[in-house]
Amino acid sequence: MIERLGQSIRARLALFASVAMALLCLVAGSFFLWVGHNTAVDIRTREVITAAMHVGHDIQRNHRHPLTNFDLKGIQVIDPTGRVVASTPNLAGVPRLTAVVPDPNSPSRTDVLCELPQLGDECHITAAVRVYDEAGDWLVYAYDSTVPWYIHPSVIAVLIVLTVLLVAITWFGVSKVVARTLAPVNQITKRLTEISYGDETMRVPVPENAEEIKALAEAANHTLARLEVALEQQRRFASDASHDLRSPITAMRAELEAAMLAPEETDWCETGGKLMASLDRLQNIVVDLLTLAKLEAGAPSRLESVDLAELVAAETTRQRSKKIVTALQPGVVVTGDRLKLARLLTNLLDNAERHAESTIIVTLRRNEQAVLEVLDDGAGIAQEQREVVFRRFTRLDASRSRDAGGTGLGLPIAREIAQAHRGTLRIEDSDTGARFVLRLPIRKE
């Protein structure tokens, strides 16, 4: 398929170039024939006039040279009485062929005459020369064939051979150039067809010389790099999701199997409570997965004016296990989806509540952007782990020991919501604990 495509492009371009060359040769050949024909006509006309004048000079000197010395179709000499007194052998005994005479003030005249049956059916260049004499004026007529449009058969043969040769060279040259040009493209296409899931070298060859194709190959490699990252994230996500979904299911199965081994001795209310806890965890994971899927799919949001101070005040009034201290600058307004922004703030507060020792500090201020900070007084997060926590199902060891019920999706959801609002969510330096900083564009009035 790849080779056929390359051959098709090469054949079309070679055909196009060959047709263009053939048309160019046709135009150039036509111009050459036009110039050559006019030149040949001028030369032959001068030859006919020269022959007639030469005979006229002989008459004036009373010399009579044989008329067969001239390479013409025919010559006639007319005396002052109008009789044909000399002619070439092919016109012997033939009366005067034409009554054309030079103008009174001119010694010669040339015409192209077509009605001369004695010389054949074709037209002839005719030269009439007047020779002045005491007894009267003599006339010398010289006849020769006109020049055909093709000048000579050899000229047409040469032009045809040159045209065929140039067209063949054009076809061959363009085919080679296009084949050499498309070779990197064919290699890239072939490599793309060979790439499969799990290929460790998801890259295409980059040519050295062809700048345009080099740019194409580099763009393809950038795309493949992003695809590779996405596939790795998908693989890791599937692995982590299967593990986190399997945990509550395994716990529920274990509880049920233990209860069924001794049904009379089982406290079914206690067993039901344990099953409900596992179901709650399972439900939370599924809900968070659906939320992430909607965010990644770009589900439409209900955008409106949101006063972040009011939103934070409303979300922080809910009773929590840790003390929440707020410092909110009023009038910080953004454009966004109120429910999603509330979900973002709730996820940050839930994360801070799990890791704080006693206090959570929420700060809102406005500069060029809306800046919301959530700071806890816990152990904090190491520098190298600050991006890791935003990966799905990532829970650090401390988190796993302190909160076995977390889904590991809260912070990834929070970052997705921030990015959907053209903002950023990062962990920045702080003296104690973990400091999450959300930045969003200010609403323009």
Side-chain angles (χ1 to χ4, degrees), residues 35 78 120 150 156 158 204 221-222 257 308 312 318 390 398:
V35 173
I78 313 299
Y150 53 84
I156 291 296
V158 170
V204 298
N221 282 336
H222 289 318
E257 288 177 348
L308 288 182
V312 173
R318 185 165 61 90
F390 289 104

Side-chain angles (χ1 to χ4, degrees), residues 184 278 310 359:
S278 297
E310 294 180 359
T359 307

Side-chain angles (χ1 to χ4, degrees), residues 1 14 50 62 68 84 96 108 139 141-142 160 190 208-209 224 248-249 253 260 287-288 307 324 336 358 411 416 418:
M1 179 65 182
T50 300
N62 292 321
T68 56
V84 178
R96 182 176 176 177
S108 64
L139 291 173
Y141 291 99
I160 291 175
K190 182 179 179 181
E208 294 296 331
N209 299 325
L224 289 172
I249 295 175
R253 183 181 183 85
M260 292 177 66
V287 170
D288 286 347
D307 189 324
I324 298 179
S358 60
L411 293 180
E416 288 287 343

Side-chain angles (χ1 to χ4, degrees), residues 3 32 45 66 79 116 125 150 199 210 279 306 320 323 340 353 388 427 429:
E3 294 180 356
F32 173 80
T45 301
D79 66 6
L116 302 174
I125 299 174
Y150 53 84
D199 194 334
L279 284 174
V306 179
R320 292 185 177 272
K323 179 182 177 182
K340 290 182 179 179
E353 184 178 14
V388 176
I427 301 175
D429 296 335

